[in-house]
Amino acid sequence: MSKTYKIADGKIRCTLCPHGCLIGEGASGICRVRKNVNGTLSLPYYGVLSAQAMDPIEKKPLFHFYPGSRIFSVGFYGCNFRCPFCQNYHISQQVVEGAAMTDPARLVEAAACRDSIGIAYTYSEPVVHYEFVLDTAKLARRQGLKNVLVTNGYINPDPAADLLEYMDAANVDLKSFNPDFYRKEIKGSLDPVLAFIEQAAPLVSLEVTTLVIPGKNDSEAEIQAIADFLASLSPDIPYHLSCYYPTYKYAVEATPPDLVLRLAEVAREKLHYVYAGNVGTYETDTLCPECGVVLIKRRGYSIQITGLSEGTCSNCGATVPIVG
Ligand code: SF4
C-alpha cells in the first residue's frame, strides 16, 4: 500500500497523488477507489476490471515501442481527474459494483497465453490502482512480459519511482500547458504532470499525447510551449496530437483535422517525431528526421516497417530511437 498518514478523528491522508486527499472513516478519495476502512487506506476495487482486450500497441498510442505488435490491455474504474471531455467517462467517472474481478497471477497468465508482448494498464486512470498495477507488473516482468502505462501522470514522485521501475513504456496525456486549464477544467494541476514526464523520460520508452480541443488548448503558442518542454528533455520523444469529439459534459464542436495538422507542423519545429491522429491522412508515418524517408508506414492499424534496419534508417544510416 502506498504511504498514508493517520490524522486525528480516524481520518487518513493518502499521499499517492498530488491531491493528498484527507479521507474520513468510510469515505473515499477524489478518485472514488481508495477508501478509509477502519482507519486504514484500502483498495476495495483491487483487481476489479472495467475492460480487457487485445489491442494494437499503436492504439495506446505508442508508435516507437514494438511497432506492429499487440498487447493485452486492461482498464479499471475511477480517476483522479474530472475532465468534462473525458472520452471514457463511463468508466473513469464512476465505479460499477459487481464488475469482474481478477488477480495479478491470472492476469499475467491471460497475457502470456495470448500473442501479446505484455500488459497495458489503460482505458481509465491506472495509477489510482497503484497496488494492483505494481503487483501485476512485477509478476509480468518475471514472466518476460512488457508493462505499459497509459496515464495522466498525476502521481507523486516516490510512488511514481516504484511504478516506473517495472514499466517498459508509457504514454502520458498532457492535456494542456496552461495551469488554469488544469485547475478549472480538470480539477488538478499542471506542474506534477510535467514533473512526472521529466521523471519518466530517462526511465521508460516515453510518448506524450495531447487531445486538441477547439478554443481550449489549441493555440500555436501552447503547442509551441509543449514542444519546447519535451524537446528540452529529448527532441526524440514522440508527440501525438489528436482530434477531440464532443462527449460527456462538453458540447464544443469536434476538432477540425486542419487545425491538428497545422499544430503538428508547429510541434515539428522542435520535435523529430510528431503524429496527427484521426485526421484521415498519412500523418502517422514515421519519417527519418535526417533524410525524410518513410521508416514505418501506418494505414490505420496496418503497420509496415519499410525503412528501418537494426535501429537505423536504411537509407541514410541515422540512428532511430525505436524499441523492439
Ligand atoms: S490517489 Fe485518490 S485518494 Fe489518493 S490522493 Fe489521489 S485522488 Fe486522493
Side-chain angles (χ1 to χ4, degrees):
M1 184 57 67
S2 65
K3 200 185 265 180
T4 54
Y5 294 99
K6 293 201 176 196
I7 314 283
D9 305 329
K11 289 182 177 165
I12 51 176
R13 171 89 61 197
C14 175
T15 62
L16 176 59
C17 92
H19 283 307
C21 296
L22 186 59
I23 311 172
E25 172 61 42
S28 302
I30 289 170
C31 58
R32 297 189 172 98
V33 296
R34 305 178 72 79
K35 195 169 180 181
N36 178 344
V37 178
N38 298 324
T40 302
L41 187 69
S42 89
L43 183 57
Y45 303 100
Y46 183 98
V48 174
L49 301 182
S50 59
Q52 48 185 302
M54 280 290 285
D55 283 340
I57 192 76
E58 284 76 14
K59 196 174 175 182
K60 300 303 106 191
L62 285 174
F63 280 15
H64 288 209
F65 187 74
Y66 291 88
S69 66
R70 285 157 61 81
I71 190 159
F72 188 54
S73 302
V74 294
F76 306 92
Y77 289 100
C79 185
N80 47 359
F81 279 167
R82 290 282 178 271
C83 307
F85 48 85
C86 181
Q87 319 238 321
N88 282 333
Y89 68 94
H90 53 290
I91 56 172
S92 71
Q93 300 304 315
Q94 65 171 350
V95 176
V96 174
E97 302 296 339
M101 267 185 100
T102 189
D103 58 52
R106 272 193 288 163
L107 197 54
V108 169
E109 195 187 330
C113 73
R114 290 170 163 86
D115 181 25
S116 170
I117 60 164
I119 302 175
Y121 311 91
T122 179
Y123 303 137
S124 66
E125 181 49 54
V127 304
V128 298
H129 294 264
Y130 175 78
E131 292 77 10
F132 181 80
V133 172
L134 193 54
D135 291 347
T136 306
K138 286 178 180 175
L139 210 53
R141 177 159 291 177
R142 259 185 262 148
Q143 301 278 330
L145 296 170
K146 305 295 180 197
N147 289 301
V148 164
L149 191 69
V150 181
T151 178
N152 62 24
Y154 207 57
I155 178 171
N156 281 326
D158 285 350
D162 291 341
L163 204 53
L164 287 168
E165 188 181 337
Y166 291 93
M167 291 297 142
D168 298 284
N171 188 300
V172 181
D173 196 7
L174 179 56
K175 294 165 193 290
S176 165
F177 212 67
N178 177 356
D180 285 345
F181 182 90
Y182 265 86
R183 196 174 61 251
K184 290 179 188 161
E185 303 273 353
I186 294 172
K187 314 299 179 209
S189 49
L190 170 64
D191 284 348
V193 179
L194 301 183
F196 177 78
I197 290 172
E198 286 184 46
Q199 188 177 4
L203 300 175
V204 299
S205 187
L206 176 72
E207 306 196 16
V208 173
T209 298
T210 299
L211 182 72
V212 176
I213 307 171
K216 299 285 185 180
N217 62 358
D218 63 341
S219 73
E220 290 192 8
E222 184 156 355
I223 298 304
Q224 177 78 67
I226 291 175
D228 282 340
F229 166 70
L230 295 178
S232 74
L233 304 175
S234 167
D236 287 335
I237 294 176
Y239 182 43
H240 303 259
L241 290 157
S242 59
C243 290
Y244 143 97
Y245 58 89
T247 189
Y248 194 32
K249 296 179 179 174
Y250 259 22
V252 177
E253 64 178 48
T255 314
D258 284 355
L259 172 59
V260 170
L261 291 170
R262 181 161 51 80
L263 295 175
E265 280 306 314
V266 170
R268 283 188 189 112
E269 288 170 16
K270 294 294 168 68
L271 296 169
H272 293 155
Y273 305 100
V274 179
Y275 301 103
N278 310 327
V279 293
T281 69
Y282 299 149
E283 295 279 328
T284 54
D285 288 348
T286 298
L287 309 182
C288 174
E290 294 294 329
C291 69
V293 82
V294 176
L295 303 172
I296 305 176
K297 196 182 198 179
R298 297 185 182 84
R299 299 291 178 269
Y301 293 125
S302 165
I303 313 300
Q304 264 183 288
I305 298 177
T306 52
L308 266 179
S309 173
E310 295 179 358
T312 60
C313 169
S314 42
N315 183 50
C316 73
T319 301
V320 181
I322 289 184
V323 176

